[in-house]
Amino acid sequence: MRFLSSILALLLCVLLCQCERKSTVELSTAEKVLIIGNSNEPKALDPHLVSGVVESNILRSVFEGLTNDHPSLDGKAIPGAAARWESNADATEWTFHLQPNGKWSDGTPLTASDFVYSFRRILDPALGANYTDMLYYLEGAQAYHQGKTKDPETIGAQAVDPLTLKLTLSKPTPFLPEIVKHMTWFPVPRHLIEVHGEMNEPHTAWTKEENMIGNGPFQLKAWRLNHKVEVERNPHYWDHENVLLNGIQFLPIKNAFTEARMFLDDLIHVSDKLPAEMIDQMETKFPEMVRKEPYVGVTYVTCNLKRSPFEQASLREALAASINQQAIIDNILRGGERAAYGFTPAFGDYLPPRAVSYQPNEAQKSLAQSTFDQRELHLLITDSEASKAIGEALQSMWQQTLGINVRLEIREWTTYLARRRKGEYDMVLCNWIGDFLDPTTFLDLWKVDNPNNTCGFQLPQYDQLLNKASLTVDPTQRLQTLQKAETELLQFKPMLPIYWRTKIYLKRPEVKGWNPLLLNNHPYKFVDLVPPPQS
Amino acid sequence: MIALVTRRTLQTLIVVFLLVTFTFIAIRLIPGNPLESDKATSSEVMKRMAEPFGFNRPYVTQYLLYWKNLLFKGDLGLSTTLLGRSVSEIISTSFPVSLMLGLTSLIIGVFVGIPLGVIAAMNKNGWIDYLSMVLAMAGICVPAFVLGPVLQLTVARQFDSISAAGWSRPGDLILPAITLSVGVAAYLARLSRGGMLDILSQDFIRTAHAKGLPLKTIIFKHALKPSLLPAITYLGPAFAAIITGSFVVEIIFQVPGMGQHFVNAVISKDPFLLQGLVLFYGLIMGGANLIVDIVIAFLNPRLRETA
């Protein structure tokens, strides 16, 4: 009976609420609380134990690295936890001067020792972090993480005084201020972590909503499983007076169509994506809300060089030249992607060599030069709709242009990853999103010792050129060397580039200070919500 | 009755034990690794990541440890997809949501489906009967992934207090509850129509008519109770299924319920979460079937004697 009464009361509430005309977006705009679609539930909120974009989106609000992203300029580092920084001439020694009023969100001062502690924690082998190669720039970091030494003092990070952090690198890294924006470089609160467990103990309670603290412009307010993660303004943030929002809600909306319907029903300010099927309709109805922005990512097919017949360069040439990239973009993706003529997307001052294009006649000639016996090949893809559509398009293109039969091996995510990691594939459809704005975030994938290089690609001159670039301080010379390396890579073609990605999503006009950024890492402290003028 | 309850409880426990054992084996046999991520990970790091979950131990040890932790500590283990969260925590936060949504849907389903079936039976082969059964068939045939978006695009646009999706306002319950209840109501309508037609053809109903009893008394006093037996039999498993969440409805309406954990646990090969959910679901299903048996025994004197 009580339950029935509750239901009746609920219905009454609904009817009464009908009188209220303000939408969720209007109300939260007035409260300056941004509501964002965030595609999935975060696996965890420990910056040392996660590697996904979903988690990064939240963590960038709660933590802040030594530097921060500029709200509109790509590749420009602005002060974050560090007020200023300088390096020696060959960019191997860096000194970061922390913000004098930098604090954790519980009011405890943030010191250089916190950073040293954080670097040692993520590199501690016992923690089981899998994104540690981001810190291998630090001298001794790789050796410590791989257990070659047990002394954390050998890591090139030193707290000179509470506000001065000195980093010693293993090689010149002029783009270090770009790298330290990444979540793996975020400081974690020693005084909290060690209350809930050992330094190298994974998954302790320090990231629970009632415990977690950070040093970013916002602090964790609520974390409701599969419902929302909510952050609110951090009053102890060093620059809190200039933070424009009062809070952000991250909604784990898994279904892109549900997200679009929520957007249209005024339930969110910014969506995470927009399904290809809805792009045309939305562009017609709400052109000002559809955003198509370049994104540093590439989609490509990797060939397993350890398996016959992929050791034949002419076959790989033929497969690459028979991919009609533009047709895939125009008919399947429809998000303004660019046909990938190289592997690394063009950004900043870096221009990849033009080495790949759709040339069906050349493809047939290349195939004729090979000794391929026309047996069936296999392409490993995930079970996502986009992967299946691209896989089917490739299958059809290779059949039509080259007469090669390709069978699609559709596997769900974890099986796909396991097979890719173990090199159990003929060809595999892959995506790679850059971690930072430097070509090495793409080119390092093909180094002989990179764990992502599972296809057996090894070209000594490629590794030598990358090593040479890593020792070059002059930015122009360095980029030229990287371009040479990519030319070598693309001549060999262990992979067949398809397209460079874009970020397609919806954004309401009330959201200000949210500009196109190549990494899509919007610094939330600059974002504002301004209600539209009353008509 | 005590014997029935004891027997059914024991049966449920055995079934749940077998279910969990089967799940334990199946989730480990299928290819893939729950700790795999798009960030390429060396096998050394993978081993370290597996340590907190005990995956480096032999399967037999893992199995025995699972039951030991469960029986002696009430510990269902840790999720590998939602790191740092225990399975108990995940169930305890998501089950109330599914229960609320499921019970609301079930109530709507019962209050719409059963009267619809009874009215259809009373107007056998008339237009009301045909209309009711067409509606019921439509309710069975239209899947949630069609009905849900249609409701979002029509109803949610019309009423400001009803959201297209979400779980923050009272109105957020309405559309997912309607979507979930349609199938239940449709089945109940067909079952109660069939049950009622069966009872209406019985001798004791003919006798009641011959005695000149009013139709209302015949239906509500003599026919309704026994005619509901098929519907009640269906309600047991339906209750268990509906209160443990629906993946499709939860994804469409952004409901933080238990159904999506079930599917995600399979997709991401999260062994402890899947085992915990299977255990929980098994217990709920066993409990619901036991309640149905008891209710049926009360409604049907012959079965009561057998019990």
Side-chain angles (χ1 to χ4, degrees), chain B residues 78-111:
Chain B
L78 292 168
S79 166
T80 54
T81 38
L82 301 164
L83 297 169
R85 287 192 190 258
S86 69
V87 173
S88 322
E89 182 193 349
I90 293 169
I91 293 176
S92 64
T93 50
S94 58
F95 180 62
V97 174
S98 291
L99 183 69
M100 170 82 171
L101 176 58
L103 281 181
T104 311
S105 313
L106 208 62
I107 287 168
I108 298 173
V110 166
F111 279 86

Tab-separated table of all heavy atoms in Angstrom, chain B residues 78-111:
chain	number	residue	atom	x	y	z
B	78	LEU	N	36.591	-8.518	-6.017
B	78	LEU	CA	36.737	-7.169	-6.576
B	78	LEU	C	36.457	-7.180	-8.071
B	78	LEU	O	36.789	-8.134	-8.760
B	78	LEU	CB	38.169	-6.674	-6.358
B	78	LEU	CG	38.590	-6.385	-4.931
B	78	LEU	CD1	40.095	-6.186	-4.869
B	78	LEU	CD2	37.892	-5.144	-4.404
B	79	SER	N	35.883	-6.100	-8.532
B	79	SER	CA	35.630	-5.983	-9.966
B	79	SER	C	36.930	-5.639	-10.692
B	79	SER	O	37.762	-4.891	-10.169
B	79	SER	CB	34.595	-4.892	-10.206
B	79	SER	OG	34.560	-4.547	-11.566
B	80	THR	N	37.087	-6.175	-11.889
B	80	THR	CA	38.272	-5.817	-12.676
B	80	THR	C	37.978	-4.684	-13.652
B	80	THR	O	38.899	-4.123	-14.246
B	80	THR	CB	38.768	-7.029	-13.502
B	80	THR	OG1	37.688	-7.514	-14.276
B	80	THR	CG2	39.306	-8.116	-12.621
B	81	THR	N	36.702	-4.365	-13.829
B	81	THR	CA	36.374	-3.255	-14.728
B	81	THR	C	36.183	-1.965	-13.946
B	81	THR	O	36.497	-0.892	-14.440
B	81	THR	CB	35.087	-3.524	-15.522
B	81	THR	OG1	34.168	-4.191	-14.692
B	81	THR	CG2	35.344	-4.331	-16.744
B	82	LEU	N	35.641	-2.061	-12.743
B	82	LEU	CA	35.487	-0.877	-11.905
B	82	LEU	C	36.487	-1.046	-10.771
B	82	LEU	O	36.154	-1.561	-9.701
B	82	LEU	CB	34.042	-0.779	-11.401
B	82	LEU	CG	33.009	-0.695	-12.532
B	82	LEU	CD1	31.619	-0.989	-12.024
B	82	LEU	CD2	33.054	0.667	-13.191
B	83	LEU	N	37.702	-0.637	-11.033
B	83	LEU	CA	38.815	-0.954	-10.145
B	83	LEU	C	38.606	-0.366	-8.752
B	83	LEU	O	38.192	0.788	-8.614
B	83	LEU	CB	40.120	-0.430	-10.740
B	83	LEU	CG	40.502	-1.066	-12.087
B	83	LEU	CD1	41.653	-0.313	-12.737
B	83	LEU	CD2	40.857	-2.521	-11.909
B	84	GLY	N	38.908	-1.171	-7.757
B	84	GLY	CA	38.787	-0.711	-6.380
B	84	GLY	C	37.391	-0.874	-5.814
B	84	GLY	O	37.152	-0.571	-4.654
B	85	ARG	N	36.455	-1.314	-6.623
B	85	ARG	CA	35.088	-1.490	-6.120
B	85	ARG	C	34.826	-2.971	-5.902
B	85	ARG	O	35.143	-3.799	-6.755
B	85	ARG	CB	34.075	-0.950	-7.111
B	85	ARG	CG	34.043	0.558	-7.149
B	85	ARG	CD	32.833	1.017	-7.916
B	85	ARG	NE	32.908	2.439	-8.173
B	85	ARG	CZ	32.234	3.348	-7.475
B	85	ARG	NH1	31.461	2.990	-6.470
B	85	ARG	NH2	32.330	4.636	-7.774
B	86	SER	N	34.224	-3.261	-4.756
B	86	SER	CA	33.877	-4.658	-4.491
B	86	SER	C	32.567	-4.980	-5.203
B	86	SER	O	31.755	-4.089	-5.475
B	86	SER	CB	33.733	-4.886	-2.990
B	86	SER	OG	32.603	-4.210	-2.524
B	87	VAL	N	32.398	-6.266	-5.503
B	87	VAL	CA	31.169	-6.688	-6.172
B	87	VAL	C	29.956	-6.386	-5.290
B	87	VAL	O	28.908	-5.959	-5.778
B	87	VAL	CB	31.269	-8.194	-6.523
B	87	VAL	CG1	29.955	-8.720	-7.061
B	87	VAL	CG2	32.388	-8.423	-7.521
B	88	SER	N	30.123	-6.581	-3.982
B	88	SER	CA	29.005	-6.303	-3.065
B	88	SER	C	28.588	-4.840	-3.174
B	88	SER	O	27.402	-4.513	-3.171
B	88	SER	CB	29.400	-6.578	-1.612
B	88	SER	OG	30.211	-7.691	-1.537
B	89	GLU	N	29.584	-3.956	-3.266
B	89	GLU	CA	29.288	-2.522	-3.359
B	89	GLU	C	28.527	-2.223	-4.667
B	89	GLU	O	27.563	-1.456	-4.668
B	89	GLU	CB	30.612	-1.746	-3.319
B	89	GLU	CG	30.456	-0.243	-3.371
B	89	GLU	CD	31.784	0.466	-3.641
B	89	GLU	OE1	32.840	-0.167	-3.578
B	89	GLU	OE2	31.735	1.678	-3.933
B	90	ILE	N	28.970	-2.856	-5.738
B	90	ILE	CA	28.321	-2.606	-7.035
B	90	ILE	C	26.873	-3.083	-6.999
B	90	ILE	O	25.957	-2.387	-7.433
B	90	ILE	CB	29.109	-3.312	-8.172
B	90	ILE	CG1	30.485	-2.660	-8.324
B	90	ILE	CG2	28.347	-3.260	-9.488
B	90	ILE	CD1	31.443	-3.414	-9.217
B	91	ILE	N	26.666	-4.270	-6.407
B	91	ILE	CA	25.288	-4.792	-6.337
B	91	ILE	C	24.448	-3.921	-5.407
B	91	ILE	O	23.309	-3.568	-5.719
B	91	ILE	CB	25.288	-6.266	-5.868
B	91	ILE	CG1	25.948	-7.152	-6.940
B	91	ILE	CG2	23.874	-6.754	-5.575
B	91	ILE	CD1	26.105	-8.605	-6.569
B	92	SER	N	25.037	-3.540	-4.280
B	92	SER	CA	24.224	-2.785	-3.316
B	92	SER	C	23.882	-1.388	-3.821
B	92	SER	O	22.887	-0.804	-3.386
B	92	SER	CB	24.921	-2.712	-1.958
B	92	SER	OG	26.110	-1.982	-2.094
B	93	THR	N	24.686	-0.826	-4.724
B	93	THR	CA	24.327	0.502	-5.235
B	93	THR	C	23.387	0.414	-6.437
B	93	THR	O	22.579	1.299	-6.647
B	93	THR	CB	25.576	1.322	-5.652
B	93	THR	OG1	26.378	0.522	-6.501
B	93	THR	CG2	26.379	1.773	-4.476
B	94	SER	N	23.511	-0.657	-7.208
B	94	SER	CA	22.695	-0.708	-8.433
B	94	SER	C	21.372	-1.455	-8.237
B	94	SER	O	20.404	-1.179	-8.941
B	94	SER	CB	23.486	-1.345	-9.570
B	94	SER	OG	23.903	-2.640	-9.212
B	95	PHE	N	21.328	-2.381	-7.280
B	95	PHE	CA	20.101	-3.168	-7.131
B	95	PHE	C	18.899	-2.320	-6.698
B	95	PHE	O	17.801	-2.495	-7.243
B	95	PHE	CB	20.326	-4.338	-6.160
B	95	PHE	CG	19.092	-5.169	-5.967
B	95	PHE	CD1	18.514	-5.847	-7.034
B	95	PHE	CD2	18.475	-5.256	-4.726
B	95	PHE	CE1	17.360	-6.599	-6.874
B	95	PHE	CE2	17.322	-6.004	-4.550
B	95	PHE	CZ	16.764	-6.680	-5.634
B	96	PRO	N	19.051	-1.391	-5.740
B	96	PRO	CA	17.875	-0.586	-5.370
B	96	PRO	C	17.261	0.151	-6.565
B	96	PRO	O	16.047	0.294	-6.659
B	96	PRO	CB	18.427	0.406	-4.342
B	96	PRO	CG	19.616	-0.262	-3.773
B	96	PRO	CD	20.206	-1.066	-4.885
B	97	VAL	N	18.118	0.588	-7.487
B	97	VAL	CA	17.617	1.290	-8.680
B	97	VAL	C	16.796	0.325	-9.531
B	97	VAL	O	15.667	0.627	-9.941
B	97	VAL	CB	18.795	1.866	-9.499
B	97	VAL	CG1	18.303	2.451	-10.807
B	97	VAL	CG2	19.546	2.904	-8.699
B	98	SER	N	17.350	-0.862	-9.768
B	98	SER	CA	16.641	-1.853	-10.577
B	98	SER	C	15.363	-2.302	-9.882
B	98	SER	O	14.347	-2.553	-10.525
B	98	SER	CB	17.536	-3.062	-10.827
B	98	SER	OG	18.586	-2.704	-11.664
B	99	LEU	N	15.428	-2.417	-8.561
B	99	LEU	CA	14.248	-2.857	-7.791
B	99	LEU	C	13.122	-1.836	-7.926
B	99	LEU	O	11.964	-2.175	-8.190
B	99	LEU	CB	14.634	-3.033	-6.317
B	99	LEU	CG	13.551	-3.561	-5.394
B	99	LEU	CD1	13.235	-5.016	-5.726
B	99	LEU	CD2	13.979	-3.464	-3.928
B	100	MET	N	13.478	-0.572	-7.763
B	100	MET	CA	12.493	0.514	-7.874
B	100	MET	C	11.847	0.511	-9.260
B	100	MET	O	10.624	0.539	-9.399
B	100	MET	CB	13.229	1.845	-7.626
B	100	MET	CG	12.452	3.084	-7.928
B	100	MET	SD	11.397	3.459	-6.541
B	100	MET	CE	10.780	5.061	-6.993
B	101	LEU	N	12.705	0.455	-10.274
B	101	LEU	CA	12.210	0.474	-11.649
B	101	LEU	C	11.411	-0.793	-11.948
B	101	LEU	O	10.325	-0.742	-12.545
B	101	LEU	CB	13.400	0.604	-12.610
B	101	LEU	CG	13.113	0.560	-14.099
B	101	LEU	CD1	12.143	1.669	-14.480
B	101	LEU	CD2	14.396	0.707	-14.902
B	102	GLY	N	11.939	-1.934	-11.511
B	102	GLY	CA	11.294	-3.216	-11.794
B	102	GLY	C	9.934	-3.327	-11.130
B	102	GLY	O	8.950	-3.745	-11.766
B	103	LEU	N	9.860	-2.927	-9.854
B	103	LEU	CA	8.574	-3.032	-9.152
B	103	LEU	C	7.535	-2.107	-9.780
B	103	LEU	O	6.371	-2.480	-9.938
B	103	LEU	CB	8.756	-2.694	-7.672
B	103	LEU	CG	9.344	-3.809	-6.805
B	103	LEU	CD1	9.457	-3.358	-5.361
B	103	LEU	CD2	8.484	-5.073	-6.868
B	104	THR	N	7.959	-0.909	-10.134
B	104	THR	CA	7.026	0.021	-10.775
B	104	THR	C	6.509	-0.580	-12.084
B	104	THR	O	5.295	-0.552	-12.355
B	104	THR	CB	7.727	1.375	-11.069
B	104	THR	OG1	8.391	1.799	-9.898
B	104	THR	CG2	6.750	2.425	-11.511
B	105	SER	N	7.422	-1.137	-12.863
B	105	SER	CA	7.020	-1.731	-14.145
B	105	SER	C	6.089	-2.914	-13.906
B	105	SER	O	5.104	-3.100	-14.634
B	105	SER	CB	8.233	-2.229	-14.916
B	105	SER	OG	9.208	-1.285	-14.926
B	106	LEU	N	6.421	-3.691	-12.903
B	106	LEU	CA	5.606	-4.884	-12.627
B	106	LEU	C	4.193	-4.486	-12.206
B	106	LEU	O	3.201	-5.091	-12.637
B	106	LEU	CB	6.284	-5.687	-11.513
B	106	LEU	CG	6.024	-7.177	-11.522
B	106	LEU	CD1	6.558	-7.801	-12.790
B	106	LEU	CD2	6.696	-7.836	-10.323
B	107	ILE	N	4.113	-3.446	-11.389
B	107	ILE	CA	2.788	-2.994	-10.937
B	107	ILE	C	1.980	-2.488	-12.135
B	107	ILE	O	0.803	-2.832	-12.303
B	107	ILE	CB	2.939	-1.919	-9.838
B	107	ILE	CG1	3.408	-2.603	-8.556
B	107	ILE	CG2	1.625	-1.169	-9.601
B	107	ILE	CD1	3.860	-1.674	-7.480
B	108	ILE	N	2.640	-1.701	-12.986
B	108	ILE	CA	1.935	-1.218	-14.189
B	108	ILE	C	1.507	-2.417	-15.029
B	108	ILE	O	0.367	-2.507	-15.497
B	108	ILE	CB	2.827	-0.267	-15.019
B	108	ILE	CG1	3.191	0.970	-14.216
B	108	ILE	CG2	2.131	0.144	-16.321
B	108	ILE	CD1	4.213	1.887	-14.885
B	109	GLY	N	2.427	-3.356	-15.192
B	109	GLY	CA	2.139	-4.545	-16.011
B	109	GLY	C	0.963	-5.334	-15.477
B	109	GLY	O	0.069	-5.730	-16.230
B	110	VAL	N	0.922	-5.536	-14.154
B	110	VAL	CA	-0.163	-6.321	-13.537
B	110	VAL	C	-1.493	-5.570	-13.658
B	110	VAL	O	-2.514	-6.151	-14.038
B	110	VAL	CB	0.175	-6.602	-12.050
B	110	VAL	CG1	-1.040	-7.108	-11.300
B	110	VAL	CG2	1.322	-7.602	-11.955
B	111	PHE	N	-1.456	-4.270	-13.360
B	111	PHE	CA	-2.711	-3.514	-13.355
B	111	PHE	C	-3.241	-3.224	-14.764
B	111	PHE	O	-4.401	-2.904	-14.923
B	111	PHE	CB	-2.550	-2.216	-12.551
B	111	PHE	CG	-2.668	-2.453	-11.078
B	111	PHE	CD1	-1.561	-2.842	-10.336
B	111	PHE	CD2	-3.886	-2.347	-10.424
B	111	PHE	CE1	-1.665	-3.106	-8.977
B	111	PHE	CE2	-3.998	-2.601	-9.068
B	111	PHE	CZ	-2.887	-2.990	-8.338
